[in-house]
Amino acid sequence: MTFDLVANDPHTEARAGVVHTAHGAIETPIFMPVGTAGTVKAVQQRDLKNDVQAQIILGNTYHLYLRPGLDVLRQAGGLHKFNGWDRPILTDSGGYQVYSLSGTRKIKEEGVKFRSHIDGSQHLFSPEGVMDIQRTIGADIIMAFDECTPWPCEYDYAARSLDMTHRWLKRCIQRFDSTEGHYGYQQTLFPIVQGSTFKDLRVKSAEFIAEQGREGNAIGGLSVGEPADMMYEMTELVCDILPKDKPRYLMGVGTPANILENIALGVDMFDCVMPTRNARNGMLFTTQGIMNVTNRKWETDFEPIDAELGGYVSTFYSRSYVRHLFQSKEMLGPQIASVHNLTFYLWLVKQARQQILAGTFREWKEKMVKQVMTRL
């Protein structure tokens, strides 16, 4: 994987670049739809390409390992062949899922023992094992195995967890560098900066991650409940340390405003379940603001969901009709809403890129943060 830095905004730390992978190029800044179990929920691959115009999607190591399982993925020729997505894929290492399974897992130096949420069976994720699993899944970009600390947490816990995450990273790198991909193309390993919301720990971790010299770097352990200002403070601190010639990926973020503010701090890549999860509850993100399409006020609004956005579903279906689908509990409602929200997120980062290239990002960002978070 290589990264070309194309432009820097003159008034912020925002950048425009291109990430080159075995399955194609990714123009940054970019938002990556989350396809946890090998699918972006309720969205077909054709719609991801044609309407959403996604350039890269995510899969999740924990979920894919449990179901369909590594034997099926190996026989299929990897996740790209299995789900029919021929563009880049990134896999999360499962560290966040382990964090969220706090009642059924034990963290030790060797790795994490956990019980499957499907059948209660017991499993071990070690740094080496997670590298092997992600080799089998076949993602273009794979993540190091880390512990995502909760917020808030005690300083001593965060410090111990960080040291273990760094030791795990060394083991991930050793295993990754001593193995080859299964399907004839190169994969790339991203380390993850941790350290909760403690400045000295974030600095320590960012410096350690930068020293590893990998092709890209991630920032984890944010967007887990901490105030947005704290997230921005930690992101700014870390981005000042991580190398400028490598892409920076802020994991699990976030709202449209979060994305714009973090682009301004120097982040290149984002993912979040928000656009699809909120879509399934009738919350639509639009170029004018946020719409709860289940509200009575949209009952006789026959305007398109978002005429300015473009894309098939956003301009073809009316707000009234989509509200009717949700009221009737028709599956098509969440499907339309999911495609629409992802189309909006990809539109937003594309607009940000154009503004960076034009040198007008800061002024545009200040206006857009307010506009896209307005409640309609």
Side-chain angles (χ1 to χ4, degrees):
M1 192 205 83
T2 60
F3 178 60
D4 296 330
L5 191 53
V6 177
N8 290 282
D9 177 63
H11 307 293
T12 70
E13 295 301 314
R15 311 115 61 82
V18 183
V19 177
H20 299 277
T21 76
H23 285 92
I26 306 155
E27 294 186 339
T28 65
I30 193 65
F31 179 83
M32 305 180 282
V34 177
T36 302
T39 173
V40 177
K41 278 187 172 58
V43 183
Q44 294 189 60
Q45 268 61 310
R46 181 182 59 190
D47 295 333
L48 277 175
K49 277 189 173 183
N50 298 342
D51 233 17
V52 175
Q53 296 182 17
Q55 298 179 46
I56 175 173
I57 62 172
L58 264 69
N60 183 264
T61 295
Y62 168 85
H63 289 281
L64 292 167
Y65 162 80
L66 291 175
R67 193 165 50 192
L70 299 184
D71 286 345
V72 171
L73 288 169
R74 192 181 291 111
Q75 289 181 55
L79 183 57
H80 287 92
K81 295 283 180 63
F82 186 59
N83 71 0
W85 180 255
D86 60 2
R87 294 179 182 178
I89 295 176
L90 180 150
T91 39
D92 183 0
S93 69
Y96 183 81
Q97 279 63 41
V98 165
Y99 148 80
S100 63
L101 290 169
S102 56
T104 60
R105 51 95 165 131
K106 291 182 180 176
I107 302 173
K108 296 186 177 179
E109 190 67 34
E110 68 171 319
V112 180
K113 287 182 178 176
F114 63 91
R115 290 194 177 277
S116 163
H117 71 284
I118 298 168
D119 60 10
S121 57
Q122 196 163 38
H123 304 268
L124 170 69
F125 269 10
S126 67
E128 295 82 4
V130 167
M131 293 300 96
D132 294 346
I133 293 167
Q134 290 185 91
R135 285 291 200 194
T136 301
I137 295 170
D140 299 270
I141 300 171
I142 76 174
M143 305 308 297
F145 190 52
D146 64 337
E147 183 190 2
C148 177
T149 49
W151 186 88
C153 72
E154 296 292 328
Y155 180 88
D156 288 348
Y157 180 88
R160 287 196 305 273
S161 170
L162 180 65
D163 288 341
M164 185 175 67
T165 285
H166 289 173
R167 292 192 298 273
W168 282 359
L169 173 59
K170 284 293 195 183
R171 290 166 58 187
C172 286
I173 289 171
Q174 187 173 7
R175 184 59 154 243
F176 180 82
D177 287 349
S178 64
T179 57
E180 294 287 336
H182 298 322
Y183 310 114
Y185 55 85
Q186 293 291 313
Q187 295 173 284
T188 299
L189 171 65
F190 278 26
I192 303 172
V193 177
Q194 289 289 350
S196 188
T197 52
F198 301 104
K199 288 184 181 180
D200 62 324
L201 296 183
R202 283 284 172 182
V203 169
K204 176 182 176 181
S205 188
E207 289 174 346
F208 181 82
I209 267 53
E211 287 168 4
Q212 307 311 308
R214 308 312 293 192
E215 290 90 349
N217 299 294
I219 306 166
L222 295 175
S223 193
V224 290
E226 80 284 355
D229 287 348
M230 203 172 275
M231 178 211 302
Y232 301 145
E233 183 183 11
M234 294 300 111
T235 301
E236 184 174 20
L237 194 67
V238 169
C239 284
D240 282 345
I241 297 168
L242 292 178
K244 296 193 184 312
D245 61 341
K246 309 285 178 66
R248 305 173 184 136
Y249 163 33
L250 181 58
M251 305 178 75
V253 174
T255 67
N258 291 158
I259 289 173
L260 293 175
E261 296 292 1
N262 282 296
I263 288 173
L265 297 174
V267 174
D268 308 293
M269 302 168 70
F270 301 87
D271 80 285
C272 190
V273 297
M274 180 174 281
T276 45
R277 179 177 288 167
N278 288 20
R280 296 193 296 276
N281 296 312
M283 179 184 279
L284 303 183
F285 297 97
T286 78
T287 55
Q288 302 305 309
I290 299 171
M291 173 193 308
N292 186 339
V293 79
T294 63
N295 286 351
R296 187 72 177 267
K297 67 185 290 186
W298 310 113
E299 185 177 18
T300 56
D301 189 329
F302 302 109
E303 292 298 311
I305 299 169
D306 191 347
E308 289 185 32
L309 183 61
Y312 173 70
V313 304
S314 307
T315 56
F316 182 82
Y317 295 106
S318 73
R319 299 161 180 181
S320 172
Y321 179 62
V322 176
R323 179 182 186 272
H324 157 72
L325 294 174
F326 273 94
Q327 295 298 110
S328 305
K329 295 184 166 44
E330 286 287 342
M331 286 190 291
L332 184 58
Q335 288 178 314
I336 290 170
S338 297
V339 172
H340 165 79
N341 276 357
L342 289 173
T343 302
F344 168 79
Y345 266 63
L346 269 294
W347 170 87
L348 187 66
V349 293
K350 187 174 183 179
Q351 291 292 309
R353 178 183 171 85
Q354 290 174 358
Q355 297 294 329
I356 294 165
L357 292 172
T360 53
F361 173 77
R362 183 173 64 180
E363 189 177 326
W364 173 84
K365 188 264 293 184
E366 296 302 327
K367 179 189 77 170
M368 288 303 292
V369 163
K370 294 172 185 169
Q371 186 169 312
V372 299
M373 297 307 289
T374 300
R375 293 279 176 165
L376 300 177

